[in-house]
Amino acid sequence: MRLHVRGRGLPDGADVELWIVDGRISTEPVAGADTVFGASGGGWILPGLVDAHCHIGLGKRGEIELDEAMAQAETERDAGALLLRDCGSPTDTRSLDERDDLPRIIRAGKHLARPKRYIAGYAVEIEDESQLPAAVAAEAKRGDGWIKLIGDWIDRKVGDLAPLWSDEVLRAAIDTAHSRGARVTAHVFSEDALPGLIRAGIDCIEHGTGLTDDTVALMLEHGTALVPTLINLENFPGIADAAGRYPTYAAHMRDLYARGYARIAAAREAGVPVYAGTDAGSMVAHGRIADEIEALKAIGMNPTEALGAACWDARGWLGRPGLEHGASADLVCYSRDPRLGPDVLTSPDLVILRGKAFRPAAGPAG
Ligand SMILES: [Zn+2]
């Protein structure tokens, strides 16, 4: 099937006209193509949206059935998220790559943590921290170029958030990943784990609610990216409420919540690259990338920048193409300006994935 779409692109608003043949984009006209979007003029065409932090194959207790993982991926697709960076999953979802109707997934393998230092059932639990580099090497083989560490979590003996790893082990682990061509990211809520991770050369920080002026400066120096998962911050007060036995920890979570947006805004203002991720798969529902894009406006991004953080800019960061000639035809079309907000963004008029047209929630389009 040959398709043809016409509209305006972003960030520049220039006219876009594309043909789709054998699942790929052609910027050259192709005969016999069916115009599936933009026949009457108007409308917007973007590369598929990116959720740069979600979890496909993660349920409340960890591993889930593949059917459920597929349903999570379908929900993302129907919301226009066609490229997902999976930030850790206990379920082996690699067989999903055979389904050409599901978003592309960039996996970080399994979360790497220490015993009792993350949510039960989610992570590979490493008894002795000296085993971290070997575990990183194993996950680098299972993943698609990313490794996910738990950087900090409640230490019940301390009664507060605390780092999981020594600086020395982090350097060895991150060097191991880099030597295998993988990038590394870490879950970090609080302040103390950040300097060691950033100095060790980590590529990205997830959440980052504990950033300070000093650690923002370190991120700039080391070129570290930030995926703040802003909509997941709404869970911090509930986490604090449920932690009655650990008052210091609960107070810390409330403080991180109260100051989180300001700290992330300061990082962005200073020049740290910020990308959109929802953290869907544990406490956040799938299909909410539009809500994260909206939240990014509250840390100082204008509507075009916020959309770019979940689209063309995130694709560039992840090394995936946009609407170039020859690229896989993974794109989303909107009759209204997608910068208007979640009402428009969550309901793309047309999703094209690997050259196949979908109208969300209505199955493949004619
Ligand atoms: Zn996550």
mmCIF file of all heavy atoms in Angstrom, residues 207-227:
data_model
loop_
_atom_site.group_PDB
_atom_site.id
_atom_site.type_symbol
_atom_site.label_atom_id
_atom_site.label_comp_id
_atom_site.label_asym_id
_atom_site.label_seq_id
_atom_site.Cartn_x
_atom_site.Cartn_y
_atom_site.Cartn_z
ATOM 1 N N HIS A 207 14.209 11.447 36.930
ATOM 2 C CA HIS A 207 13.534 12.165 38.039
ATOM 3 C C HIS A 207 14.342 13.420 38.422
ATOM 4 O O HIS A 207 13.934 14.512 38.073
ATOM 5 C CB HIS A 207 13.267 11.259 39.252
ATOM 6 C CG HIS A 207 12.777 9.892 38.876
ATOM 7 N ND1 HIS A 207 11.638 9.700 38.117
ATOM 8 C CD2 HIS A 207 13.278 8.647 39.103
ATOM 9 C CE1 HIS A 207 11.463 8.397 37.909
ATOM 10 N NE2 HIS A 207 12.443 7.744 38.491
ATOM 11 N N GLY A 208 15.434 13.289 39.143
ATOM 12 C CA GLY A 208 16.300 14.450 39.401
ATOM 13 C C GLY A 208 15.713 15.506 40.307
ATOM 14 O O GLY A 208 16.131 16.668 40.269
ATOM 15 N N THR A 209 14.772 15.118 41.160
ATOM 16 C CA THR A 209 14.124 16.098 42.032
ATOM 17 C C THR A 209 15.077 16.686 43.069
ATOM 18 O O THR A 209 14.782 17.724 43.653
ATOM 19 C CB THR A 209 12.932 15.452 42.758
ATOM 20 O OG1 THR A 209 13.308 14.121 43.166
ATOM 21 C CG2 THR A 209 11.731 15.345 41.836
ATOM 22 N N GLY A 210 16.209 15.998 43.305
ATOM 23 C CA GLY A 210 17.161 16.487 44.305
ATOM 24 C C GLY A 210 18.314 17.290 43.722
ATOM 25 O O GLY A 210 19.325 17.492 44.401
ATOM 26 N N LEU A 211 18.169 17.752 42.500
ATOM 27 C CA LEU A 211 19.253 18.540 41.898
ATOM 28 C C LEU A 211 19.498 19.829 42.677
ATOM 29 O O LEU A 211 18.569 20.439 43.195
ATOM 30 C CB LEU A 211 18.924 18.869 40.434
ATOM 31 C CG LEU A 211 19.161 17.724 39.440
ATOM 32 C CD1 LEU A 211 18.464 18.013 38.115
ATOM 33 C CD2 LEU A 211 20.654 17.502 39.224
ATOM 34 N N THR A 212 20.775 20.209 42.751
ATOM 35 C CA THR A 212 21.168 21.467 43.383
ATOM 36 C C THR A 212 21.957 22.273 42.354
ATOM 37 O O THR A 212 22.299 21.754 41.286
ATOM 38 C CB THR A 212 22.099 21.195 44.576
ATOM 39 O OG1 THR A 212 23.264 20.513 44.077
ATOM 40 C CG2 THR A 212 21.423 20.332 45.633
ATOM 41 N N ASP A 213 22.292 23.500 42.678
ATOM 42 C CA ASP A 213 23.107 24.302 41.752
ATOM 43 C C ASP A 213 24.411 23.583 41.418
ATOM 44 O O ASP A 213 24.868 23.585 40.275
ATOM 45 C CB ASP A 213 23.425 25.676 42.356
ATOM 46 C CG ASP A 213 22.192 26.570 42.417
ATOM 47 O OD1 ASP A 213 21.137 26.184 41.840
ATOM 48 O OD2 ASP A 213 22.264 27.635 43.052
ATOM 49 N N ASP A 214 25.006 22.942 42.430
ATOM 50 C CA ASP A 214 26.282 22.246 42.216
ATOM 51 C C ASP A 214 26.133 21.050 41.277
ATOM 52 O O ASP A 214 26.976 20.839 40.396
ATOM 53 C CB ASP A 214 26.858 21.750 43.551
ATOM 54 C CG ASP A 214 27.429 22.897 44.382
ATOM 55 O OD1 ASP A 214 27.570 24.015 43.838
ATOM 56 O OD2 ASP A 214 27.709 22.666 45.571
ATOM 57 N N THR A 215 25.071 20.251 41.473
ATOM 58 C CA THR A 215 24.936 19.065 40.614
ATOM 59 C C THR A 215 24.439 19.453 39.218
ATOM 60 O O THR A 215 24.753 18.768 38.251
ATOM 61 C CB THR A 215 24.064 17.972 41.264
ATOM 62 O OG1 THR A 215 22.909 18.551 41.864
ATOM 63 C CG2 THR A 215 24.864 17.222 42.322
ATOM 64 N N VAL A 216 23.689 20.547 39.118
ATOM 65 C CA VAL A 216 23.335 21.050 37.780
ATOM 66 C C VAL A 216 24.617 21.447 37.040
ATOM 67 O O VAL A 216 24.805 21.112 35.859
ATOM 68 C CB VAL A 216 22.356 22.241 37.880
ATOM 69 C CG1 VAL A 216 22.262 22.985 36.547
ATOM 70 C CG2 VAL A 216 20.967 21.743 38.311
ATOM 71 N N ALA A 217 25.530 22.120 37.745
ATOM 72 C CA ALA A 217 26.805 22.510 37.114
ATOM 73 C C ALA A 217 27.588 21.276 36.673
ATOM 74 O O ALA A 217 28.185 21.264 35.583
ATOM 75 C CB ALA A 217 27.632 23.358 38.084
ATOM 76 N N LEU A 218 27.554 20.221 37.509
ATOM 77 C CA LEU A 218 28.235 18.969 37.137
ATOM 78 C C LEU A 218 27.609 18.347 35.886
ATOM 79 O O LEU A 218 28.320 17.834 35.019
ATOM 80 C CB LEU A 218 28.151 17.954 38.285
ATOM 81 C CG LEU A 218 29.202 17.991 39.381
ATOM 82 C CD1 LEU A 218 28.908 16.877 40.398
ATOM 83 C CD2 LEU A 218 30.608 17.820 38.811
ATOM 84 N N MET A 219 26.273 18.387 35.803
ATOM 85 C CA MET A 219 25.598 17.826 34.620
ATOM 86 C C MET A 219 26.017 18.571 33.361
ATOM 87 O O MET A 219 26.250 17.955 32.315
ATOM 88 C CB MET A 219 24.072 17.882 34.781
ATOM 89 C CG MET A 219 23.526 16.875 35.773
ATOM 90 S SD MET A 219 21.723 16.928 35.919
ATOM 91 C CE MET A 219 21.218 15.869 34.544
ATOM 92 N N LEU A 220 26.110 19.893 33.471
ATOM 93 C CA LEU A 220 26.525 20.690 32.302
ATOM 94 C C LEU A 220 27.950 20.328 31.896
ATOM 95 O O LEU A 220 28.251 20.157 30.712
ATOM 96 C CB LEU A 220 26.430 22.180 32.626
ATOM 97 C CG LEU A 220 25.018 22.730 32.751
ATOM 98 C CD1 LEU A 220 25.064 24.169 33.260
ATOM 99 C CD2 LEU A 220 24.282 22.667 31.414
ATOM 100 N N GLU A 221 28.807 20.190 32.900
ATOM 101 C CA GLU A 221 30.209 19.869 32.636
ATOM 102 C C GLU A 221 30.356 18.507 31.952
ATOM 103 O O GLU A 221 31.184 18.335 31.051
ATOM 104 C CB GLU A 221 30.939 19.874 33.987
ATOM 105 C CG GLU A 221 32.436 19.702 33.925
ATOM 106 C CD GLU A 221 33.009 19.537 35.341
ATOM 107 O OE1 GLU A 221 32.450 20.135 36.297
ATOM 108 O OE2 GLU A 221 33.999 18.785 35.481
ATOM 109 N N HIS A 222 29.508 17.547 32.358
ATOM 110 C CA HIS A 222 29.628 16.178 31.842
ATOM 111 C C HIS A 222 28.659 15.878 30.699
ATOM 112 O O HIS A 222 28.646 14.762 30.184
ATOM 113 C CB HIS A 222 29.403 15.172 32.976
ATOM 114 C CG HIS A 222 30.527 15.151 33.973
ATOM 115 N ND1 HIS A 222 31.591 14.280 33.872
ATOM 116 C CD2 HIS A 222 30.775 15.918 35.064
ATOM 117 C CE1 HIS A 222 32.434 14.505 34.875
ATOM 118 N NE2 HIS A 222 31.956 15.490 35.608
ATOM 119 N N GLY A 223 27.817 16.840 30.327
ATOM 120 C CA GLY A 223 26.872 16.613 29.231
ATOM 121 C C GLY A 223 25.784 15.616 29.570
ATOM 122 O O GLY A 223 25.320 14.860 28.713
ATOM 123 N N THR A 224 25.340 15.611 30.823
ATOM 124 C CA THR A 224 24.323 14.644 31.273
ATOM 125 C C THR A 224 22.925 15.163 30.936
ATOM 126 O O THR A 224 22.620 16.334 31.161
ATOM 127 C CB THR A 224 24.416 14.471 32.808
ATOM 128 O OG1 THR A 224 25.785 14.504 33.198
ATOM 129 C CG2 THR A 224 23.766 13.178 33.248
ATOM 130 N N ALA A 225 22.074 14.277 30.439
ATOM 131 C CA ALA A 225 20.690 14.643 30.135
ATOM 132 C C ALA A 225 19.792 14.363 31.340
ATOM 133 O O ALA A 225 20.196 13.674 32.282
ATOM 134 C CB ALA A 225 20.202 13.851 28.924
ATOM 135 N N LEU A 226 18.569 14.898 31.279
ATOM 136 C CA LEU A 226 17.613 14.751 32.380
ATOM 137 C C LEU A 226 16.233 14.395 31.825
ATOM 138 O O LEU A 226 15.745 15.044 30.899
ATOM 139 C CB LEU A 226 17.530 16.074 33.163
ATOM 140 C CG LEU A 226 16.507 16.182 34.288
ATOM 141 C CD1 LEU A 226 16.804 15.188 35.415
ATOM 142 C CD2 LEU A 226 16.472 17.613 34.846
ATOM 143 N N VAL A 227 15.652 13.335 32.393
ATOM 144 C CA VAL A 227 14.260 12.977 32.074
ATOM 145 C C VAL A 227 13.488 13.040 33.390
ATOM 146 O O VAL A 227 13.539 12.105 34.199
ATOM 147 C CB VAL A 227 14.169 11.578 31.421
ATOM 148 C CG1 VAL A 227 12.713 11.203 31.159
ATOM 149 C CG2 VAL A 227 14.967 11.554 30.110
#
